[in-house]
């Protein structure tokens, strides 16, 4: 690829975030809010990530989330001019495959997936934050 063409493409790509919100809305992002707390896609993603965490961090290949109960939203921060990401903070009770019930806190962010497409889900199961990523007792996601 020639240098002038590369420079032109690069400057066009860098200018994309500078587009106004209405121009972006129709092309790069949908205007929908972050997924609901009880959305099956959110719960499936959490279950999958938890299985991976249990296997790789806690070295327990059989531990998994079996059921969700009392799913609730406790905070919603909408997208606006000074906050570009919509965030939904949720909580629930989960039953694990070992029979224990735990509290889970999670956050769904809209438009922050790969290349700003899709949603991101961060979660913390009480007692499973070995490296204190979400502070003591999952405080950051509460």
């Amino acid at each position: 690829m020639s240098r002038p063409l590369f420079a032109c493409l690069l400057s066009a790509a860098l200018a994309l975030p500078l587009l106004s919100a209405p121009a972006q809305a129709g092309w790069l992002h949908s205007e929908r809010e972050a997924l609901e707390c009880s959305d099956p896609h959110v719960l499936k993603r959490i279950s999958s990530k938890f299985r991976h965490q249990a296997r790789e961090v806690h070295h327990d290949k059989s531990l998994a989330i079996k059921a969700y109960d009392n799913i609730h939203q406790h905070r919603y921060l909408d997208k606006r001019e000074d906050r570009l990401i919509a965030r939904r903070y949720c909580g629930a009770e989960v039953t694990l495959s070992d029979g224990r019930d735990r509290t889970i806190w999670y956050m769904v962010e809209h438009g922050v997936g790969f290349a700003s497409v899709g949603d991101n889900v961060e979660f913390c199961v009480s007692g499973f934050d070995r490296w204190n990523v979400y502070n003591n007792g999952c405080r950051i996601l509460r």
Side-chain angles (χ1 to χ4, degrees), residues 6 17 31 37 65 68 82 94 113-114 121 124 127 141:
F6 178 74
E31 283 298 311
C37 294
I65 295 174
Y68 291 85
D82 64 333
V94 292
F114 178 73
V121 178
C124 179
L141 296 177

Side-chain angles (χ1 to χ4, degrees), residues 52-64:
H52 176 79
Q53 179 188 37
R55 185 176 58 246
E56 299 299 325
V57 176
H58 301 285
H59 306 291
D60 188 340
K61 294 181 181 180
S62 63
L63 194 60

